[in-house]
Amino acid sequence: MKIAVIGTGAIAQFVQRMLPEHGHELAAILVRPHRVDPKSPKSVGSVDDLPAGIEMVLDCAGHEALAGLGPDILARGLDIISVSAGALADQQVSDRLDRAARKGGARLHLASGAIGGLDCLSAAAVGPLKSVTYVGRKPPAGWKGSLAEHSLDLGNITAAETHFQGSAREAALAYPKNANVAAAVALAGVGFDNTQVRLIADPTIHKNIHEVEAEGDFGTFQFRISGTALPDNPRSSALAAMSVLSKLDQLCKPIVL
C-alpha cells in the first residue's frame, strides 16, 4: 500500500523505517506547515498536499494531530490507523471524527498501542463487565513533561508514588502523551467514565508496566505487561509503534484472527 505517516517523532520514525519490510511504500510524511522539510519530496504540510494514490494514513503524532487532521483525512475517504486513542476522550473530537468518517465512507482504526489483552476485554464486555481498572506504572523519566511534575519531584522520589487516580476520561485528557493505554482499555471495556485509572511513578523499575483487572459475567481477568520504551523517547512504547504495523498487516490479510 502507499502510506502517509503523520509525525516525525520516535514512533513515527520506527514505523517509517519498518514499512518497506512489511511490503508498503512510504509516500508522504505529514507534519506541521512550519516543519516541512524542503529537502524531502515526501514532506507535506497539509492534508490537501497529500499525493494522489495514498491508500492509508498512519497517525503517529498524538492527540492534537488526530483531532486537527483526522476529520479532513477521513472526509476524503482515507482510512486512518492511530495510536492516539486518548483523543476520543474529548467528546467533541470523537463526534467530529465520527461524522467525517461517515461522510467519507472511511474508518478510523485504533491500534492497541502499548497494551495487550484488549480482544479478551472486548469479548468480556458483551457479558457485560462489572468493573475495569487500569494501573500504569512508569519510571520517573517516563512522566517528565506531564502533570506528574506538578505533584512529584520526579528527580528525587525514592519509592513508588501515585500521582493520578480517577476515570479514564480524566486521565486521557490530563495526560495526552501518557494515557493512551487507559483510553484503549476504556474503549474495549466499559467506556471512559466507568474505567478506573491509577498512574504511578516508580523509581525501582526500568520498564513501563501496564496492568488491567476486570470483573464481569465472564469471570475475572488480569493482564500485566512490562514494556520497553523506544530508545529515542522514554514516553513512547516500542509495542505501541509495533502495534501500528500489526494493525496495518491485519487490514491487508484475507484471513485475520
Side-chain angles (χ1 to χ4, degrees):
M1 298 179 75
K2 292 184 68 174
I3 304 295
V5 174
I6 304 176
T8 57
I11 292 178
Q13 290 179 38
F14 178 92
V15 170
Q16 290 168 25
R17 289 195 303 269
M18 296 295 293
L19 277 174
E21 295 186 23
H22 289 250
H24 305 290
E25 176 190 349
L26 176 62
I29 302 171
L30 182 54
V31 296
R32 297 176 187 271
H34 69 276
R35 300 194 65 180
V36 171
D37 182 357
K39 298 180 181 179
S40 172
K42 295 181 180 179
S43 183
V44 299
S46 74
V47 175
D48 290 338
D49 291 334
L50 288 173
I54 294 292
E55 298 171 86
M56 180 75 70
V57 178
L58 310 182
D59 164 40
C60 303
H63 295 194
E64 188 176 340
L66 180 59
L69 300 172
D72 288 342
I73 294 169
L74 293 167
R76 284 184 54 172
L78 292 173
D79 281 13
I80 300 172
I81 296 175
S82 175
V83 292
S84 304
L88 277 68
D90 184 324
Q91 193 60 53
Q92 291 184 340
V93 171
S94 181
D95 289 344
R96 286 201 301 271
L97 291 167
D98 183 274
R99 288 194 298 269
R102 294 177 186 276
K103 177 181 178 181
R107 300 183 75 184
L108 170 60
H109 306 274
L110 297 174
S112 57
I115 191 68
L118 297 184
D119 52 347
C120 179
L121 190 61
S122 180
V126 176
L129 286 162
K130 296 177 182 176
S131 65
V132 179
T133 300
Y134 163 72
V135 179
R137 189 185 301 264
K138 295 184 180 183
W143 297 110
K144 287 186 176 180
S146 76
L147 287 180
E149 291 185 321
H150 295 182
S151 56
L152 299 177
D153 183 355
L154 294 174
N156 293 302
I157 62 173
T158 58
E161 294 195 39
T162 297
H163 57 85
F164 173 87
Q165 192 159 352
S167 71
R169 188 182 303 278
E170 292 168 329
L173 294 174
Y175 294 81
K177 295 182 179 181
N178 298 83
N180 278 316
V181 173
V185 170
L187 289 166
V190 294
F192 281 104
D193 297 315
N194 293 320
T195 301
Q196 296 303 303
V197 173
R198 189 155 55 99
L199 303 179
I200 301 170
D202 189 343
T204 69
I205 62 175
H206 302 285
K207 294 185 177 182
N208 299 337
I209 298 175
H210 306 284
E211 298 172 299
V212 180
E213 293 187 5
E215 181 181 357
D217 289 357
F218 76 100
T220 59
F221 168 77
Q222 293 180 320
F223 182 87
R224 174 187 170 108
I225 184 169
S226 297
T228 302
L230 288 170
D232 297 337
N233 188 343
R235 293 192 304 250
S236 297
S237 162
L239 186 59
M242 295 171 187
S243 75
V244 176
L245 294 161
S246 175
K247 175 64 74 172
L248 180 60
D249 289 344
Q250 184 186 54
L251 293 174
C252 293
K253 292 179 180 179
I255 300 175
V256 296
L257 178 61

